[in-house]
Amino acid sequence: MTTITTDPTPQEINRFWIDETGPKGWYVQSDALDRQIRDRFMAAWIDAPRLAVQWAGTADGALAALILTDQFPRNMFRDDARAFATDPLALRIARAALEAGHDLATPEPARQFFYLPFEHSEELADQDLAVELFAQRMPGENLLHAQLHRDTIARFGRFPWRNAALGRTPTDAERAVMDAGGYGALVSGRLSLADLA
């Protein structure tokens, strides 16, 4: 028997991520949520280049495309290089969305998903843009995270917490960050990047 699958709509993706999952689920590791995203949206993620072109012309469509390419893979592929495979596509979508004003047409807290592809980039210029966007268009706790990401890239040129998934050999300083608790240690203040200078 052949299973017929249909593409999700942008509204389905946005409803699932913004309304059903919500802020309480976005940054907490949950095997059940990861499995649900894989089951519901893996086929769409595989087809993301086509869907992104179809959806990117509206604010809701661009938001869904960013969730699909920047957020979902981080849940679907934890500790796997595929978690970052569609980051370049997410950056292209985000740049076009900013130019079209889709971010400002999107209310908080969903607006952050237009800026996170820059925060997830390992290019310092993208990091600087993420900090600027959060500072100007969505100030609050997200700005702290943007600054920590930018400072990490300024210090290491990459995120130490991706090294294992990407098969990269850590430096001694990167190893010290991970031994101290990785990103969580930076957020909690248990570790300062200045300590590693």
Side-chain angles (χ1 to χ4, degrees):
M1 175 180 266
T2 302
T3 302
I4 298 173
T5 59
T6 58
D7 295 334
T9 65
Q11 292 74 25
E12 286 176 82
I13 288 178
N14 293 343
R15 186 168 50 249
F16 171 80
W17 192 243
I18 305 301
D19 301 326
E20 296 172 24
T21 304
K24 289 185 178 177
W26 292 340
Y27 303 110
V28 176
Q29 183 170 350
S30 163
D31 292 340
L33 178 61
D34 294 352
R35 187 168 44 256
Q36 189 178 12
I37 293 171
R38 280 192 300 272
D39 291 347
R40 288 182 66 176
F41 301 109
M42 176 74 83
W45 178 80
I46 291 170
D47 206 18
R50 177 182 64 85
L51 294 174
V53 169
Q54 290 180 1
W55 295 349
T58 67
D60 281 348
L63 175 61
L66 289 167
I67 292 167
L68 179 65
T69 57
D70 186 66
Q71 295 298 303
F72 283 176
R74 285 167 164 75
N75 288 81
M76 291 190 296
F77 307 117
R78 290 187 191 275
D79 304 318
D80 184 303
R82 290 175 295 174
F84 319 110
T86 50
D87 281 9
L89 176 56
L91 275 169
R92 290 195 300 275
I93 296 165
R95 288 186 206 289
L98 291 180
E99 190 165 319
H102 293 329
D103 60 319
L104 295 176
T106 303
E108 298 181 20
R111 183 179 298 166
Q112 67 187 289
F113 298 111
F114 289 90
Y115 308 148
L116 287 175
F118 303 104
E119 186 176 313
H120 291 153
S121 171
E122 290 189 322
E123 296 294 328
L124 187 57
D126 292 332
Q127 290 295 324
D128 289 338
L129 180 56
V131 169
E132 178 184 330
L133 289 167
F134 277 115
Q136 294 178 359
R137 301 182 182 188
M138 197 179 163
E141 185 180 349
N142 292 82
L143 180 57
L144 165 70
H145 292 283
Q147 290 167 333
L148 283 173
H149 280 78
R150 192 248 340 256
D151 293 348
T152 300
I153 294 301
R155 171 67 177 86
F156 299 110
R158 61 189 189 176
F159 294 121
W161 41 88
R162 290 188 190 173
N163 287 344
L166 294 174
R168 302 188 304 209
T169 302
T171 65
D172 290 342
E174 289 174 335
R175 196 173 287 111
V177 169
M178 298 310 295
D179 289 348
Y183 184 68
L186 294 172
V187 172
S188 69
R190 293 191 316 268
L191 177 70
S192 167
L193 292 171
D195 297 337
L196 302 169

